[in-house]
Amino acid sequence: MPQMTQTFTLIPGRITLADLRRLAAGGISIALDPAAWKAVDAAAATVARAAAGSHAVYGVNTGFGRLAKLRIPPADVEELQRRIVLSHCVGTGDPLPDTAVRLVLALKINALALGYSGVRQSLINALCALYNADVLPVIPAKGSVGASGDLAPLAHLSAVLFGTGEARHAGRVLPAAEGLARAGLAKQPLAAKEGLALLNGTQVSTALAAHGLFQIEAVFAAALVAGAMSVDAALGSDVPFDPRIHAVRGHPGQIDAADALAALLKGSQIRASHLDCDRVQDPYSLRCQPQVMGAALDLIRFAAGTIAREANAVSDNPLVFAESGAILSGGNFHGEPIAFAADILALAVAEIGALSERRTALLTDSSLSSLPAFLVAEPGLNSGFMIAQVTAAALASENKSLAHPASVDSLPTSANQEDHVSMATFAARRLGDMSRNSADIVAIELLAAAQGVDMRKPLTTSPKLALALRAIRAEAAFLAQDRPLAPDIAAIRALIESGWFRDAANVELPSA
């Protein structure tokens, strides 16, 4: 359990991606800006009046989905909210990671506190108490189609509030009632519309997309460093990173990637040693890095904009407009924006890994790199990086399959009432697997490139790449002869996932 060290004042609708990165890590407590309560109270009062009235209002005194035409007697309105949560607890699969669940809680607090959902202060405060105590509902990862909100996963979160299900605290899984006690909470009754407000929304899809974005940013930064180090190890040229080349094409990401690569290579003795060599052009995996990585960076930035907007969005249904007293039924719960954003991120992270794998293959091929075969002394007796490159190829191939767009799929649900869905939850969830695959691919390249640079001694690499080389060598020694490389790969992947390379790459990323 992270130690709570500071308070984050949540101003509804103004959470940044950098805020979300902090909230995912934990170690801070959430305090809602007191100015938010006026809108919350007004919307809750509007719902209370509707619940006591004679007109049918969806989700307040009616059934749900295809059963929306059925009226619910006033005496059963609160029980209706509890039962909708219970009926939707149908998730399957492994639980979401703690970092993602913290994000789901924070995003749900943010959405409800905007004052368009009609819930009471007590419900929002209960969610804050769960987050602040790091009592995290156990949410099965599978079961949402990303329309009508992330219904099943949000039901598992919501059920904990009235003592049903399980929660994780300090690494242990507890019955929900015990988790509530750890958070200083009693079981929470649900008033009119509160169950629906908890279930409707894209907070799980958005949390998973944000979580994937943060991981992909770390992989992107590491891949830039790896790519520059591979250029040096393979006696490649820095001419393709000349800013004039990229200015005439005009893509911002390409310009930024080229600048970063040029800065990483600046001052390399290895590069200076072959300025007048007879090689005319390098293979594409070295030469076209700005074009490929820059395109990926543009996609990352675009997707990040969608995620940031959705993180601050109201995706409930129906929506309560207290000033006019209107309660309007629409479709803000549909996850298509996040599905598209996640699919875009999937394309980017797949290509980051694919390009990295090609550079590892180049380094291990002595005819291309002019280094010993498979980057090891006594090739034949030693296999060196031969099978590490095979692992990279396997992971890159797996990512190609995972990169297939999820958003183009749809299966009708709820007896065709919900006849087009986004599949946003899976689209976002698979980013975790893809980013981990690409982190492993880039870790293999960093090890291979470090090996190649060390083989160029006494010539030295650039000052910036030397810092990265020292960080790598602190985790993994030079490969003098064959040994298991799996621990080295895992150690460098952990270094990537820690964000160490974000500063080394020195490129502007969305959640900085």
Side-chain angles (χ1 to χ4, degrees), residues 67-99:
L67 303 176
K69 295 179 181 180
L70 300 178
R71 288 292 299 272
I72 306 300
D76 291 333
V77 164
E78 291 187 9
E79 180 63 14
L80 170 70
Q81 300 303 313
R82 191 181 75 89
R83 290 192 189 183
I84 189 178
V85 172
L86 294 175
S87 70
H88 285 56
C89 289
V90 293
T92 66
D94 294 333
L96 295 179
D98 290 352
T99 47

Side-chain angles (χ1 to χ4, degrees), residues 433-451:
D433 287 339
M434 295 186 72
S435 63
R436 185 182 177 94
N437 285 345
S438 285
D440 278 327
I441 295 168
V442 175
I444 291 167
E445 184 193 358
L446 284 166
L447 289 166
Q451 185 84 356

Side-chain angles (χ1 to χ4, degrees), residues 457-468:
K457 290 178 177 178
L459 296 174
T460 60
T461 189
S462 71
K464 288 187 175 181
L465 290 178
L467 285 174

Side-chain angles (χ1 to χ4, degrees), residues 234-261:
L235 301 181
S237 173
D238 59 355
V239 171
F241 311 141
D242 187 303
R244 291 169 293 183
I245 295 172
H246 310 287
V248 297
R249 198 176 195 190
H251 292 294
Q254 179 177 328
I255 291 168
D256 290 349
D259 287 347
L261 289 162

Side-chain angles (χ1 to χ4, degrees), residues 6 65 80 144 189 220 230 237 288 317 377 390 395 404 417 449 461 482 487:
Q6 55 184 303
L80 170 70
S144 174
F220 176 87
S230 290
S237 173
C288 296
N317 184 62
V390 172
L395 296 171
H404 183 278
Q417 174 73 5
T461 189
D482 283 345

Side-chain angles (χ1 to χ4, degrees), residues 368-388:
L368 293 173
S369 68
S370 73
L371 290 163
F374 301 108
L375 301 170
V376 71
E378 297 184 278
L381 177 62
N382 290 308
S383 295
F385 281 80
M386 179 190 295
I387 306 305

Side-chain angles (χ1 to χ4, degrees), residues 25-242:
I28 58 178
S29 60
I30 292 175
L32 192 64
D33 180 6
W37 293 127
K38 181 179 179 181
V40 169
D41 291 342
T46 301
V47 168
R49 286 193 295 272
S54 57
H55 294 291
V57 179
Y58 175 71
V60 175
N61 53 16
T62 73
F64 306 101
R66 189 63 179 268
L67 303 176
K69 295 179 181 180
L70 300 178
R71 288 292 299 272
I72 306 300
D76 291 333
V77 164
E78 291 187 9
E79 180 63 14
L80 170 70
Q81 300 303 313
R82 191 181 75 89
R83 290 192 189 183
I84 189 178
V85 172
L86 294 175
S87 70
H88 285 56
C89 289
V90 293
T92 66
D94 294 333
L96 295 179
D98 290 352
T99 47
V101 178
R102 289 190 194 102
L103 279 179
V104 177
L105 281 168
L107 291 172
K108 180 56 79 174
I109 292 164
N110 185 43
L112 296 179
L114 283 161
Y116 295 97
S117 297
V119 305
R120 298 163 299 154
Q121 288 193 28
S122 58
L123 184 65
I124 297 172
N125 283 330
L127 293 171
C128 289
L130 290 178
Y131 180 92
N132 294 342
D134 211 43
V135 172
L136 305 174
V138 173
I139 302 175
K142 300 181 181 181
S144 174
V145 296
S148 279
D150 292 314
L151 297 174
L154 285 173
H156 286 277
L157 178 146
S158 307
V160 169
L161 291 169
F162 50 82
T164 298
E166 295 177 323
R168 183 186 297 275
H169 177 70
R172 292 178 54 225
V173 175
L174 310 171
E178 187 176 343
L180 288 175
R182 296 288 180 98
L185 292 170
K187 294 180 181 180
Q188 303 292 303
L190 298 180
K193 195 184 175 294
E194 288 184 339
L196 186 60
L198 286 166
L199 301 189
N200 258 325
T202 61
Q203 286 78 38
V204 173
S205 298
T206 305
L208 291 170
H211 193 249
L213 169 68
F214 305 150
Q215 294 172 308
I216 291 166
E217 287 178 333
V219 173
F220 176 87
L224 276 181
V225 175
M229 195 176 291
S230 290
V231 168
D232 233 13
L235 301 181
S237 173
D238 59 355
V239 171
F241 311 141
D242 187 303

